[in-house]
Short mmCIF file of all heavy atoms in Angstrom, two decimals:
data_model
loop_
_atom_site.label_atom_id
_atom_site.label_comp_id
_atom_site.label_asym_id
_atom_site.label_seq_id
_atom_site.Cartn_x
_atom_site.Cartn_y
_atom_site.Cartn_z
N THR A 14 5.18 14.87 -10.50
CA THR A 14 6.00 15.04 -11.69
C THR A 14 5.22 15.61 -12.86
O THR A 14 5.80 15.92 -13.89
CB THR A 14 6.63 13.71 -12.13
OG1 THR A 14 5.58 12.78 -12.40
CG2 THR A 14 7.56 13.17 -11.07
N PRO A 22 8.92 35.09 -6.93
CA PRO A 22 8.52 36.43 -6.52
C PRO A 22 9.46 37.48 -7.10
O PRO A 22 10.53 37.17 -7.59
CB PRO A 22 8.64 36.39 -4.99
CG PRO A 22 9.74 35.42 -4.77
CD PRO A 22 9.63 34.39 -5.87
N TYR A 35 12.87 29.51 -7.94
CA TYR A 35 13.24 28.15 -7.56
C TYR A 35 12.31 27.20 -8.30
O TYR A 35 11.11 27.42 -8.39
CB TYR A 35 13.10 27.94 -6.05
CG TYR A 35 13.30 26.50 -5.64
CD1 TYR A 35 14.57 25.95 -5.59
CD2 TYR A 35 12.21 25.68 -5.36
CE1 TYR A 35 14.76 24.63 -5.24
CE2 TYR A 35 12.40 24.36 -5.01
CZ TYR A 35 13.68 23.84 -4.96
OH TYR A 35 13.87 22.53 -4.63
N ALA A 53 18.84 -10.81 -27.80
CA ALA A 53 18.10 -12.06 -27.55
C ALA A 53 18.98 -13.13 -26.91
O ALA A 53 18.50 -13.95 -26.12
CB ALA A 53 17.49 -12.57 -28.84
N GLY A 55 21.15 -12.64 -24.69
CA GLY A 55 21.51 -12.22 -23.33
C GLY A 55 22.68 -11.27 -23.26
O GLY A 55 23.05 -10.82 -22.18
N GLY A 64 17.20 2.33 -15.51
CA GLY A 64 16.28 3.44 -15.30
C GLY A 64 16.57 4.11 -13.98
O GLY A 64 17.21 3.54 -13.09
N ASN A 73 17.74 30.35 -9.07
CA ASN A 73 18.21 31.45 -9.93
C ASN A 73 17.97 32.79 -9.27
O ASN A 73 17.01 32.96 -8.52
CB ASN A 73 17.47 31.44 -11.27
CG ASN A 73 17.70 30.17 -12.04
OD1 ASN A 73 18.81 29.91 -12.47
ND2 ASN A 73 16.66 29.36 -12.19
N ASN A 105 25.17 12.10 -10.54
CA ASN A 105 24.82 13.39 -9.93
C ASN A 105 25.71 14.50 -10.48
O ASN A 105 26.89 14.29 -10.75
CB ASN A 105 24.96 13.34 -8.42
CG ASN A 105 23.89 12.49 -7.78
OD1 ASN A 105 22.98 11.99 -8.44
ND2 ASN A 105 23.99 12.30 -6.49
N ASN A 108 25.33 22.10 -12.05
CA ASN A 108 25.60 22.96 -13.19
C ASN A 108 25.33 24.41 -12.78
O ASN A 108 24.37 24.68 -12.07
CB ASN A 108 24.73 22.57 -14.38
CG ASN A 108 24.92 21.13 -14.77
OD1 ASN A 108 26.04 20.63 -14.79
ND2 ASN A 108 23.84 20.44 -15.05
N GLN A 109 26.17 25.33 -13.26
CA GLN A 109 26.03 26.74 -12.92
C GLN A 109 26.04 27.59 -14.18
O GLN A 109 26.66 27.22 -15.17
CB GLN A 109 27.18 27.19 -12.03
CG GLN A 109 27.32 26.40 -10.75
CD GLN A 109 28.52 26.84 -9.96
OE1 GLN A 109 28.55 27.96 -9.48
NE2 GLN A 109 29.50 25.97 -9.85
N ALA A 120 17.42 57.17 -30.00
CA ALA A 120 16.36 57.57 -30.92
C ALA A 120 16.43 56.76 -32.22
O ALA A 120 15.41 56.35 -32.76
CB ALA A 120 16.48 59.06 -31.22
N VAL A 144 34.45 6.45 -9.10
CA VAL A 144 33.68 5.56 -9.96
C VAL A 144 34.58 4.99 -11.04
O VAL A 144 35.35 5.70 -11.65
CB VAL A 144 32.49 6.33 -10.59
CG1 VAL A 144 31.74 5.44 -11.55
CG2 VAL A 144 31.59 6.85 -9.51
#
Side-chain angles (χ1 to χ4, degrees):
T14 59
Y35 173 76
N73 298 294
N105 289 356
N108 304 318
Q109 302 177 66
V144 176

